[in-house]
Amino acid sequence: DYFLPTQQAVSIDSEKYLSIEEDKWSHKEGSNEANENISNEERERRMAIFHYNEGNKFYRKEKYGEALIRYERALRHNEKFKEALINLSTAYMKTKVFDKALETLQAGQNQFPQEPLFDYNFACYFSLKGNPKAGLLALQQAMKKGFKQFEQVKSDTDLTNLRQSDEYK
C-alpha cells in the first residue's frame, strides 16, 4: 500500500507518488492562453496528474469510492501511469472489491514487472484474502525487487494475516 493505516502518505521515492506536481497544474474548464499552447499529449499528462492527485485527496479522507473514480480517470488519460495503478489497486482492496484489485495488480505487474510495489500489494491482497503463504511469496518477491519499507511491513493492517502465519514468524 502507499498509505499507512493512519492514511498518511508513505515516503517512497521522495513522495513523488503522492503529489506529482500537485501545485503546478490545475484543471480548468474552457480555454485560456496557457492551455491553447500545449500539445494534446501534455494536456493528457496534466489531466492524469490532476485526477491522480484528486484521488489521493479522497483516499486520505477515507473516501475510497471517490478515490477509485479519480484513479480510473487518471488512467483514462494515461494508461501507463504506474502510481495511479498502484493506488487504484489499494483503493479496490480498501473497498473489498477484490476481483478488481487482482485485475489491477495483474495489469500493473504486466506493464511494470520490476516495480516492487505491485508485489507488495499482492502480498496485501493475499493476506486480506486469507492466503498468507501466497502473500509471503509476494512479499519476498517485492523485497528481491528492492522494497525496503520494513516498518511498513510490521505495521500495515492489510498484512495482519500474513504476520500471524507460521511461515512469516
Side-chain angles (χ1 to χ4, degrees), residues 11-160:
S11 179
I12 297 173
D13 260 352
S14 68
E15 290 199 33
K16 75 176 185 179
Y17 297 118
L18 293 172
S19 60
I20 296 177
E21 302 176 19
E22 186 166 5
D23 296 325
K24 190 172 179 181
W25 309 114
S26 64
H27 173 68
K28 297 184 191 263
E29 294 297 326
S31 67
N32 60 33
E33 221 173 279
N35 283 341
E36 290 175 7
N37 294 325
I38 62 172
S39 68
N40 282 337
E41 183 179 317
E42 178 63 13
R43 186 173 289 120
E44 290 298 310
R45 186 185 77 78
R46 290 180 185 189
M47 288 303 297
I49 291 168
F50 170 78
H51 289 298
Y52 171 78
N53 288 328
E54 289 296 302
N56 290 339
K57 288 176 188 176
F58 282 110
Y59 190 101
R60 285 186 193 104
K61 293 176 184 176
E62 298 183 23
K63 295 182 178 182
Y64 305 119
E66 291 295 323
L68 285 169
I69 292 167
R70 294 340 185 266
Y71 295 140
E72 288 172 348
R73 286 181 184 167
L75 289 164
R76 277 195 292 261
H77 290 282
N78 178 358
E79 63 187 25
K80 299 219 182 269
F81 198 159
K82 176 174 56 174
E83 298 82 6
L85 275 169
I86 293 167
N87 288 5
L88 179 63
S89 70
T90 302
Y92 276 131
M93 284 187 272
K94 292 294 184 191
T95 58
K96 300 188 184 326
V97 183
F98 293 111
D99 57 332
K100 293 295 275 181
L102 180 61
E103 180 182 310
T104 303
L105 287 168
Q106 289 169 334
Q109 196 168 56
N110 287 337
Q111 285 184 46
F112 306 100
Q114 295 307 310
E115 175 55 60
L117 288 172
F118 287 110
D119 294 289
Y120 180 82
N121 277 3
F122 265 117
C124 293
Y125 169 84
F126 287 121
S127 179
L128 290 168
K129 293 291 287 177
N131 189 347
K133 193 173 214 171
L136 188 57
L137 290 172
L139 185 58
Q140 289 171 333
Q141 198 59 27
M143 291 182 179
K144 284 180 186 175
K145 292 178 184 177
F147 184 82
K148 305 266 188 256
Q149 311 300 330
F150 303 117
E151 291 303 313
Q152 184 176 350
V153 173
K154 292 178 186 176
S155 64
D156 191 332
T157 57
D158 290 346
L159 294 176
T160 299

Side-chain angles (χ1 to χ4, degrees), residues 132-133 136 139-140 153 159-169:
K133 193 173 214 171
L136 188 57
L139 185 58
Q140 289 171 333
V153 173
L159 294 176
T160 299
N161 290 333
L162 187 146
R163 285 192 304 271
Q164 291 174 351
S165 71
D166 291 334
E167 292 90 355
Y168 179 85
K169 293 174 186 173

